[in-house]
Amino acid sequence: MAPELTPIEGDPKKRVCYFFDSDVSGFHYGPGHPMKPTRIRMCHSLVMNYGLYKRMEIFRAKPATKREMTQFHSDEYVEFLSRITPVNMNSYIKEQHKYNVGDDCPVFDGLFDYCSISAGGSMEGAARLSRDKCDIAINWAGGLHHAKKSEASGFCYVNDIVLGVLELLRYHQRVLYVDIDVHHGDGVEEAFYTTDRVMTCSFHKYGEFFPGTGELRDTGIGKGKNFALNFPLRDGITDESYKSVFEPVIRQVMETYDPGAVVLQCGTDSLSGDKLGCLNLSMRGHANCVRFVKSFNKPLLMLGGGGYTMRNVSRAWAFETGLATGVELGPEIPMNEYYEYFGPDYQLDVKSSNMEDMNTPGYLERVKNIVMQNIRLVGGPPSVQMTDIPRVPIDAMMEDANEDEDLIPPDERRHPRLLDTRRQADGELSDSDDEGEGGRRNHASHRDADNLAHSTGRRAAVGIMSAGSTHGIGTSMATAVTGGTPTPVAGSSNNQSDMDVDEETPLAQMVGRKKKKPGRKSSTGAPMAVDTS
């Protein structure tokens, strides 16, 4: 039976570009580390099996080069990332300390390739938006908002968001950055703290929580005064409470700042039940932020970010991909290569828990009034003297991505890259639209499969991996962070059950795959064995 897709009534049709590189699932931060790049492939599997590929163009972005990364990061730092490996890391002890690599941000095989894939998708998505090739660009491998100019932080090495915003600024006078990750978007805020061309707006847990920045009074400096907005939250905020502050603030920002483009960081560690988060949003509460930002009809770059309960990350991002294309996904998860991990209910929804909401109405109203006052101090959209757009290497690639198409003889098979970018027109039937009819239904059921083995907890860690949670809000951490380097935070680790499947991986995921050369195409190759939690 075909997956259920419900068109959203009154939602204007958008041209959506979606970026995915199957190589991203082959990277591994190390045993016990909460960041699992495989979550992006799990999301992609849902996106494909729901049939969303028919409603958007799918690309494999060209990986970002060292030169492109140095548009923001220092030359020495990028060179360090490109050279260090687990084999030679003992020769770079001094540099590891200097660039904060180790512990939270470990050295692993293919580190630089991983950064290149993440940054490449965000930069190309921004480039396509700027050239009016799409209305919404999605890169779930991006959103790594903690990385600094010369420093790794919070599982982030290269700040793809800053690189994407810089690309947008070549064409747009003003860019708005919105962050709904549970952690403060400190790397992006720091990069644009002194300019009025980018307004940063972050909703995050604050008070003895990584990275310790994002206080209400941090509003920018110099020309950027009042162009950095921070909304500090306490534990357990619900969908209703979040909506009551998010929508008024974003609406006021849109009216006052009038951005030419919007970047939305959709970190899912703000969902209920996340291993490192402490908020209580449901999938629909989180997705409401995407729906609301989309409603302003601005060029929109949607990026990933945090999220450490993998089955929930993939659910939320797949649902939000559907919203971008104008449909709501049905509640029944379709058969896919990770189907067993969505048990026992095999439902798409992520529900809120019964944890106490420490954000009282009085507290939220008080903070909202202060943030709204900061917005009013902007006094209207700042004007920018625009000049000729400087050319960068991505321009030549973007001017005609299909320049070779006319040279292909009509009797030869087209390159998969050209086929993958074709979007199915509404009303067009695919070969499998009659699946489930006329006796073609697959009666196999995986609902009775054995439960997966669950691991037992994780040792306490420092920095972002501390799941410490306080009910209050204070400034205890604001002065404990220097240059973005996290200090140890007291707290208890989150004892939710893991889903590490190193020892018990379904046979369907043991199939190997060939290494793909860089190129622009979607990838739906055979899955690898995964370490998921």
Side-chain angles (χ1 to χ4, degrees):
M1 187 173 181
E4 180 183 347
L5 298 177
T6 306
I8 301 173
E9 189 173 346
D11 195 38
K13 183 179 293 186
K14 300 290 187 182
R15 298 167 297 159
V16 180
C17 288
Y18 171 93
F19 293 90
F20 174 73
D21 191 321
S22 64
D23 288 349
V24 77
S25 62
F27 301 106
H28 196 272
Y29 275 64
H33 200 287
M35 176 61 102
K36 315 280 190 185
T38 306
R39 67 201 177 128
I40 301 161
R41 190 184 181 98
M42 290 180 70
C43 169
H44 181 70
S45 181
L46 288 179
V47 165
M48 298 301 289
N49 285 280
Y50 266 108
L52 293 178
Y53 62 88
K54 302 174 185 178
R55 306 182 61 85
M56 57 191 182
E57 293 183 295
I58 300 180
F59 297 95
R60 183 182 187 184
K62 175 183 172 294
T65 63
K66 289 194 288 186
R67 178 182 174 184
E68 289 169 335
M69 292 179 186
T70 55
Q71 293 178 56
F72 170 60
H73 295 284
S74 68
D75 294 358
E76 297 80 8
Y77 176 58
V78 172
E79 186 65 27
F80 164 75
L81 291 178
S82 68
R83 289 180 178 273
I84 193 165
T85 67
V87 175
N88 66 15
M89 60 185 294
N90 290 333
S91 303
Y92 291 93
I93 299 297
K94 182 178 179 181
E95 289 83 358
Q96 288 184 63
H97 180 74
K98 177 182 178 181
Y99 299 125
N100 195 37
V101 172
D103 295 328
D104 277 4
C105 302
V107 178
F108 56 86
D109 283 326
L111 170 59
F112 186 76
D113 293 336
Y114 170 72
C115 297
S116 296
I117 291 172
S118 171
S122 297
M123 294 181 70
E124 190 169 329
R128 287 186 166 273
L129 287 170
S130 296
R131 291 160 179 80
D132 196 31
K133 292 179 179 289
C134 63
D135 303 309
I136 300 176
I138 302 174
N139 176 33
W140 295 130
L144 305 181
H145 59 171
H146 293 306
K148 312 296 195 304
K149 181 183 179 69
S150 299
E151 183 180 307
S153 176
F155 314 157
C156 308
Y157 304 85
V158 169
N159 200 315
D160 65 285
I161 305 173
V162 174
L163 294 172
V165 170
L166 290 175
E167 173 60 32
L168 290 171
L169 287 174
R170 296 172 58 222
Y171 289 80
H172 300 279
Q173 293 187 12
R174 294 174 299 279
V175 174
L176 170 65
Y177 170 69
V178 182
D179 192 316
I180 57 174
D181 194 289
V182 72
H183 300 98
H184 177 233
D186 56 334
V188 183
E189 179 184 275
E190 182 180 297
F192 301 110
Y193 206 61
T194 61
T195 180
D196 58 1
R197 292 196 62 195
V198 179
M199 176 174 277
T200 60
C201 184
S202 179
F203 298 79
H204 52 270
K205 160 71 175 168
Y206 180 75
E208 297 202 14
F209 194 75
F210 182 88
T213 54
E215 190 184 5
L216 182 60
R217 294 172 291 182
D218 296 337
T219 59
I221 195 170
K223 200 173 181 180
K225 183 67 175 175
N226 300 316
F227 290 92
L229 302 175
N230 288 296
F231 202 112
L233 301 169
R234 296 172 176 170
D235 291 3
I237 191 166
T238 61
D239 293 351
E240 295 75 18
S241 296
Y242 204 96
K243 181 178 181 178
S244 72
V245 296
F246 182 85
E247 292 190 358
V249 167
I250 297 302
R251 183 181 293 109
Q252 184 73 21
V253 166
M254 290 291 187
E255 294 173 356
T256 303
Y257 190 62
D258 189 25
V262 181
V263 178
L264 177 60
Q265 198 266 17
C266 304
T268 50
D269 45 10
S270 49
L271 289 173
S272 177
D274 189 83
K275 293 180 179 180
L276 299 187
C278 54
L279 304 185
N280 195 23
L281 295 182
S282 71
M283 180 190 74
R284 293 185 179 274
H286 190 273
N288 179 68
C289 299
V290 175
R291 191 194 304 262
F292 187 71
V293 172
K294 179 193 172 189
S295 69
F296 290 92
N297 296 319
K298 303 278 188 179
L300 176 60
L301 177 60
M302 291 170 54
L303 304 174
Y308 309 101
T309 301
M310 292 180 58
R311 56 194 179 275
N312 292 347
V313 175
S314 51
R315 283 174 164 123
W317 285 348
F319 186 78
E320 288 162 3
T321 303
L323 291 183
T325 66
V327 297
E328 278 198 13
L329 305 186
E332 291 283 340
I333 288 181
M335 194 60 63
N336 65 87
E337 61 201 76
Y338 299 102
Y339 187 74
E340 296 90 341
Y341 305 143
F342 297 103
D345 58 358
Y346 303 95
Q347 297 290 304
L348 185 67
D349 199 16
V350 179
K351 296 181 172 61
S352 300
S353 70
N354 61 352
M355 72 182 297
E356 183 180 2
D357 184 0
M358 305 306 297
N359 299 270
T360 63
Y363 168 75
L364 292 176
E365 187 66 23
R366 186 167 66 252
V367 174
K368 183 179 74 173
N369 290 337
I370 296 173
V371 172
M372 300 285 263
Q373 178 61 26
N374 291 337
I375 298 172
R376 285 190 286 270
L377 292 174
V378 169
S383 60
V384 178
Q385 182 65 42
M386 300 298 286
T387 60
D388 291 338
I389 298 172
R391 288 188 64 83
V392 295
I394 198 172
D395 288 323
M397 179 185 68
M398 292 299 301
E399 282 170 355
D400 189 1
N402 297 333
E403 60 182 347
D404 298 333
E405 185 172 12
D406 295 335
L407 303 178
I408 302 175
D411 296 331
E412 288 190 12
R413 186 186 298 274
R414 292 295 193 265
H415 192 281
R417 170 174 57 81
L418 302 176
L419 302 178
D420 290 337
T421 59
R422 294 179 180 174
R423 176 182 169 277
Q424 178 173 299
D426 291 342
E428 181 178 337
L429 296 177
S430 72
D431 293 339
S432 58
D433 279 347
D434 61 343
E435 179 71 33
E437 301 175 3
R440 292 192 60 202
R441 183 171 182 175
N442 183 356
H443 293 278
S445 173
H446 291 259
R447 291 180 180 273
D448 299 327
D450 294 338
N451 291 329
L452 297 173
H454 289 65
S455 62
T456 57
R458 180 183 293 114
R459 65 177 178 84
V462 299
I464 189 173
M465 285 191 278
S466 273
S469 172
T470 60
H471 295 325
I473 175 171
T475 58
S476 57
M477 280 295 290
T479 57
V481 177
T482 304
T485 305
T487 58
V489 177
S492 58
S493 62
N494 195 325
N495 288 325
Q496 293 171 324
S497 62
D498 293 343
M499 292 185 66
D500 292 323
V501 293
D502 290 312
E503 298 154 358
E504 191 174 336
T505 305
L507 182 60
Q509 297 182 28
M510 294 300 186
V511 183
R513 60 185 177 141
K514 296 181 180 178
K515 180 73 173 177
K516 295 180 178 61
K517 297 180 180 179
R520 194 185 300 276
K521 67 175 183 177
S522 67
S523 302
T524 55
M528 291 182 62
V530 299
D531 172 20
T532 179
S533 55

